[in-house]
Amino acid sequence: MGAGGQMKTAKDILKHVPVSKPPFGISDLKKAIPPHCFKRSLIRSFGSFFRDLITIYTFYSLASTYIPLLPPTLSYIAWPLYWFAQGIILMGFWILGHECGHHAFSEYQWVDDAVGFFIHSVCLTPYFSFKYSHRSHHAHTNSIEYDEVYIPKRKSDTFFTEFMNNGPGNVFTLIYRTTLGLPSYLIFNTYGRDYNGFANHFLPQSGIFNDRERGQVVLSDVGIAAGIPLFVMSVFFIFLTYLNHTHPAIAHYDSTEWDWLRGALSTIDRDFGILNRVFHNANHTHGIHHLFPTIPHYHAIEAREVVKPILGDYYMYDDTPILKAMWRDTKECIYVEPDEEKKGVYWYYK
């Protein structure tokens, strides 16, 4: 949708976004949002927390109690269905932990860190480690040099632009990214920023962290546990984060042109249909989240609707069906090259 909520055509969706400095500032957007949208309610946040936790326990209890009683043939179907459903709920649960990392869960930092540590440890994500690297992502969104994740390849990287830029290569990339993308990022910093050395979310001495953060990285490591539904959750993590940050129409910037506001606006809201509520609407309020990450999820839609008329063409929304969008963006967003006219701006090519 564009200004005023007008629906864009499929052709418009792929049209490059504006890259000139916006005629509005972050203060203009903040003034337009009702003050209550910035209020964090401990009751509402814990309501979402216990809703997800009870659903996770209920799914587990039903599966562990009744699936073993089914005939073997049916159990082979029932277990994957359980893994898939539980993985979806875990993704929504993970999003609440991510909200804690932004201090958007409550007014109390210690509550946010305690809840976030519990949630992300359950979801096999090192809470403090991810919190700090994710903070850097928000500070440098779509910066070629300094963004933290989904750094686009350049045409000179021939492995991706020539060897993998074909049908089989696209299929392999899609399968690898969705199945192993999250653990690869956490362990090997795949798709991440170049730190001129080995970077890892579990090693305190990794270049991702500073000296003040290293003790909490160790604490994050202690909290890790395992389970198959978490694999499904990691698949949806990639779907969510990749599609919110990758699109043929968005630009990347080098240090000569990048600024925080245009970086924050270089995100895409997506529609996951019936999963929107399960994911606490994170997927189609990602733009407002990058502008104001402390707005809790239950106020995000209201805040988004208020600022959309101000954002105009700087607001990006794509309602392409998710599987189709994932395949299209995997094929279309292979590498970036400089804009032919505007120095410091880069666009995706294939």
Side-chain angles (χ1 to χ4, degrees), residues 62-78:
L62 290 173
S64 61
T65 301
Y66 295 107
I67 293 180
L69 303 179
L70 295 174
T73 303
L74 290 179
S75 68
Y76 294 147
I77 299 173

Side-chain angles (χ1 to χ4, degrees), residues 132-153:
Y132 295 136
S133 68
H134 191 64
R135 178 181 61 193
S136 179
H137 161 62
H138 270 257
H140 304 100
T141 308
N142 275 42
S143 164
I144 290 286
E145 295 98 341
Y146 300 113
D147 199 356
E148 199 64 39
V149 69
Y150 294 126
I151 311 299
K153 303 300 180 184

Side-chain angles (χ1 to χ4, degrees), residues 26 138-141 258-265 290-293:
I26 190 69
H138 270 257
H140 304 100
T141 308
W258 181 87
D259 62 63
W260 180 86
L261 182 55
R262 279 184 293 174
L265 292 171
H290 262 267
L291 293 167
F292 303 103

Side-chain angles (χ1 to χ4, degrees), residues 33-34 37 288 292 295 299-308:
I33 298 174
C37 288
I288 196 70
F292 303 103
I295 291 180
H299 290 317
I301 292 178
E302 180 182 358
R304 179 198 66 190
E305 293 304 303
V306 169
V307 302
K308 273 168 58 177

Side-chain angles (χ1 to χ4, degrees), residues 165-167 170-171 173-174 177 242 248 324-335 349-350:
N165 191 8
N166 51 60
N170 291 333
V171 171
T173 298
L174 179 61
R177 178 180 287 135
Y242 180 77
K324 181 179 179 181
M326 195 71 180
W327 176 240
R328 180 200 66 199
D329 295 350
T330 297
K331 292 192 304 176
E332 301 290 328
C333 302
I334 302 295
Y335 61 92
Y349 292 88
K350 64 175 181 176

